[in-house]
Amino acid sequence: MAYAITQTCCNDASCVSVCPVNCIHPTPDEPEFGTTDMLYIDPQACIDCGACADACPVDAVFPVDRLRGPDTVFGELNRTWFRDHPNDHAWGRPSFPRSLPGELGTLRIAVVGTGPSAGYTAQELLRSTSAEITMIDRLPVTGGLLRHGVAPDHQATKRIAESFASVFRDPRLRMHLNVEIGTDVTHRELAAHHHAVVYAVGAAADRRLGIPGEDLPGSLPATAFVGWYNADPTVPADTVELPAERVLVIGNGNVAVDIARILLTDPDRLAATDIADHALAALRRSRVREVVLLARRGPEQAAWTTAEFLALRQLPGVEVVVEDHPEVRAAIEAAAPDSRAALLAGLPLVPYDGGAEPAAERRLVLRFLSLPVGISGDGRVESLTVERTTLTADGRAEATGETDVLRAGLVVRSIGHRGVPLPGLPFDQRAGTVAHRGGRVVDPATGQPLPGAYVVGWAKRGPSGGIGANRACARETVDALLDDAEARVLPVPEAGHREFERLVRSRRPDAVGLKELRAVDRAERRRGEAEGRPRVKLATVPELLAAGRRR
């Protein structure tokens, strides 16, 4: 019986490298890899060895005959993908350790950030070189979006952090947390102590709507809402209030789906996760019983992944409906079997009045062709005005002039992220990323690389791709760095790691190292064991620092 990959797929391709018959696709060498929702196992080629299940960092691979309930659909999804994507199962390019010129000595490389792209970068460097790694993060805890972005009810996805934890234990790796580059230490100072610096800082800013009332209390960016339920220490516990029965979420990507699911999930189910205590308490008090996902375009342009939307449809005790509209109905009826619009087939198409009281039962409403134009309220969000759109022949949303007012107590915009400029590095304002070419930071004025400076992850390619996409991205950047090392163009550092540690301590006496990080991890796990949870997160910087000192 063949194996199948299920909805927790992280796309990091660990399974691809261990498959003895190369039946898992798309591989990182294939063009579909950068755009696919997940990876797939060919049931005709699979030899049922189980190597992929053992290698999967998020426990997403199972024999098809063991799939139960809502997961049974993934056996058919795997089979269908290979029906539509015939493959000859040719082997991809193998990866070998790199041999660097002996006169370089031991490379010292700094990685700024500790999220997935940083973790894959450090992993690649440690596996393929004898380099010494310094990891730096502005927060006193590691993980980036793995800790503060992945929804708490996706515990399987968070298991990939365990593979990074083994990287962090490598004796060639040092860590300085609670240290911000550009504030506590400059890029120039960091570069003076390392042969190369790799920036893995993500895309920290939210895209704005640019409409009146966007800054009213009760209007939030998705990063604030997600950070609130994930115990991000930069997001205060009182950031989110849930005073009304209806919440509007603007956007139709996976983050918007996550927010809707958390708001509508029974808090007793969330109580078994690592959700922030303050968020769990607020959700227990919540009056929310209706969430509306708003999209300016149609169902065919929805950005959620198949797996995430299937999970949303199966949320216990929640009715999922689609606002009835002629264009939406036509798109669903004409949808190709493997399209986004086809996922809506079978859902009730209902008239929707956003000015009326929400339905009595918990409900998720999918409303398409709706462009937000203004938020109103007396000191706090009370309503959102939307304008109807229609799709042009090339798929653009065109306003029709017809408006509607939706009553709500909270509006969350989930319309994407954007990178922020880093002190000392060139920034591409149009792309919202560090200016680079193939991972090498470049001076836009001259097009020449900035010696010893590199970028990876969302700061490199923009806010696209899931956790696993960072693995191939990290490999490209590391290859560029090592090519430069072989070409002897990396700058020679002026000082070593001991001098850098003294510099950090002089600037940030409360910097956190690996010992303190392990103490925080033990403290959170102990708190979790007492409550039957994977961990209970410490939600503020003082709490994290205090736990680290109790090692």
Side-chain angles (χ1 to χ4, degrees):
M1 178 62 66
Y3 280 70
I5 298 174
T6 63
Q7 69 186 43
T8 52
C9 179
C10 70
N11 274 24
D12 91 336
S14 294
C15 53
V16 173
S17 62
V18 300
C19 177
V21 293
N22 201 35
C23 70
I24 305 175
H25 293 266
T27 72
D29 296 326
E30 296 169 339
E32 298 97 333
F33 184 80
T35 58
T36 186
D37 293 349
M38 56 190 291
L39 305 184
Y40 302 89
I41 298 175
D42 186 346
Q44 299 300 318
C46 178
I47 61 173
D48 200 23
C49 68
C52 54
D54 292 337
C56 179
V58 295
D59 196 23
V61 186
F62 299 94
V64 171
D65 61 351
R66 284 181 49 199
L67 297 177
R68 296 290 184 270
D71 284 342
T72 56
V73 68
F74 290 100
E76 180 63 17
L77 282 177
N78 279 252
R79 186 192 68 79
T80 301
W81 195 88
F82 282 96
R83 181 198 66 196
D84 299 334
H85 300 80
N87 199 287
D88 62 6
H89 307 291
W91 287 98
R93 176 178 62 88
S95 177
F96 297 102
R98 299 286 292 267
S99 297
L100 301 176
E103 66 269 22
L104 288 175
T106 300
L107 285 182
R108 294 199 301 277
I109 301 170
V111 179
V112 181
T114 59
S117 61
Y120 283 122
T121 299
Q123 187 177 71
E124 186 73 18
L125 285 165
L126 291 169
R127 286 177 175 176
S128 59
T129 73
S130 59
E132 295 179 351
I133 313 298
T134 303
M135 297 193 79
I136 302 157
D137 200 294
R138 63 187 178 89
L139 295 179
V141 66
T142 60
L145 284 181
L146 266 179
R147 180 180 172 99
H148 299 127
V150 176
D153 58 343
H154 282 2
Q155 288 298 305
T157 304
K158 291 174 181 276
R159 288 181 194 142
I160 200 169
E162 296 172 9
S163 66
F164 295 145
S166 64
V167 172
F168 298 160
R169 289 193 294 269
D170 192 288
R172 289 185 284 140
L173 187 145
R174 297 177 177 83
M175 190 167 287
H176 300 285
L177 307 177
N178 205 33
V179 176
E180 187 164 8
I181 301 302
T183 301
D184 303 316
V185 177
T186 68
H187 168 71
R188 184 181 296 275
E189 289 170 330
L190 189 58
H193 294 80
H194 299 85
H195 291 88
V197 182
V198 182
Y199 285 89
V201 294
D206 289 273
R207 295 188 182 276
R208 292 180 60 83
L209 294 166
I211 62 175
E214 187 171 7
D215 294 320
L216 271 174
S219 171
L220 299 173
T223 49
F225 194 94
V226 171
W228 171 76
Y229 65 59
N230 271 326
D232 185 330
T234 67
V235 180
D238 60 357
T239 293
V240 176
E241 297 180 19
L242 304 170
E245 292 87 356
R246 180 183 290 122
V247 172
L248 307 177
V249 181
I250 301 169
N252 61 3
N254 281 349
V255 175
V257 167
D258 282 346
I259 292 169
R261 192 180 63 253
I262 294 299
L263 284 166
L264 292 171
T265 295
D266 185 340
D268 286 342
R269 292 170 60 91
L270 295 174
T273 74
D274 64 350
I275 190 170
D277 280 351
H278 57 252
L280 182 60
L283 290 166
R284 289 194 185 281
R285 300 189 302 267
S286 170
R287 300 172 59 203
V288 175
R289 61 179 188 266
E290 181 178 279
V291 176
V292 184
L293 285 185
L294 294 165
R296 62 185 174 86
R297 297 197 290 171
E300 193 57 46
Q301 290 78 34
W304 55 60
T305 60
T306 299
E308 288 294 336
F309 188 74
L310 288 174
L312 189 65
R313 287 191 58 166
Q314 296 150 1
L315 199 60
V318 177
E319 182 186 23
V320 181
V321 302
V322 181
E323 185 206 27
D324 197 4
H325 183 278
E327 273 191 60
V328 173
R329 182 183 290 270
I332 296 172
E333 291 174 351
D338 59 348
S339 68
R340 292 286 191 272
L343 294 172
L344 306 184
L347 291 177
L349 287 162
V350 301
Y352 183 70
D353 181 2
E357 290 295 317
E361 302 301 321
R362 285 182 296 159
R363 184 167 78 156
L364 173 68
V365 180
L366 305 176
R367 177 170 173 147
F368 297 95
L369 304 175
S370 299
L371 177 69
V373 294
I375 299 173
S376 302
D378 185 9
R380 182 179 174 83
V381 168
E382 296 175 1
S383 65
L384 172 71
T385 301
V386 297
E387 185 173 4
R388 276 291 180 195
T389 63
T390 185
L391 289 185
T392 63
D394 59 357
R396 291 182 297 106
E398 188 174 85
T400 64
E402 176 189 353
T403 61
D404 196 5
V405 177
L406 312 180
R407 292 171 50 197
L410 179 67
V411 174
V412 182
R413 65 176 186 272
S414 181
I415 56 174
H417 297 76
R418 181 177 172 83
V420 296
L422 297 171
L425 292 183
F427 189 72
D428 184 337
Q429 290 289 350
R430 188 173 62 84
T433 63
V434 175
H436 76 95
R437 186 168 57 248
R440 294 180 177 91
V441 177
V442 299
D443 181 346
T446 65
Q448 295 302 306
L450 196 66
Y454 302 85
V455 65
V456 70
W458 281 7
K460 169 187 173 184
R461 66 182 191 275
S464 64
I467 290 171
N470 291 297
R471 187 176 187 181
C473 180
R475 175 169 291 183
E476 179 188 53
T477 294
V478 169
D479 280 346
L481 188 160
L482 298 182
D483 286 345
D484 290 346
E486 289 179 353
R488 297 171 174 81
V489 296
L490 293 182
V492 178
E494 302 167 11
H497 67 82
R498 295 185 186 278
E499 290 82 1
F500 183 69
E501 288 180 1
R502 285 197 290 268
L503 174 65
V504 168
R505 293 296 176 185
S506 70
R507 303 281 178 81
R508 286 305 298 253
D510 57 351
V512 171
L514 284 168
K515 290 181 179 179
E516 292 88 351
L517 178 65
R518 290 168 185 153
V520 169
D521 183 63
R522 288 193 298 269
E524 291 185 338
R525 290 182 184 275
R526 280 197 300 266
R527 296 175 73 197
E529 288 173 6
E531 299 183 20
R533 301 168 62 183
R535 69 172 64 233
V536 174
K537 290 178 178 174
L538 299 165
T540 67
V541 169
E543 288 177 314
L544 290 163
L545 294 178
R549 287 192 293 268
R550 289 195 293 268
R551 63 182 185 275

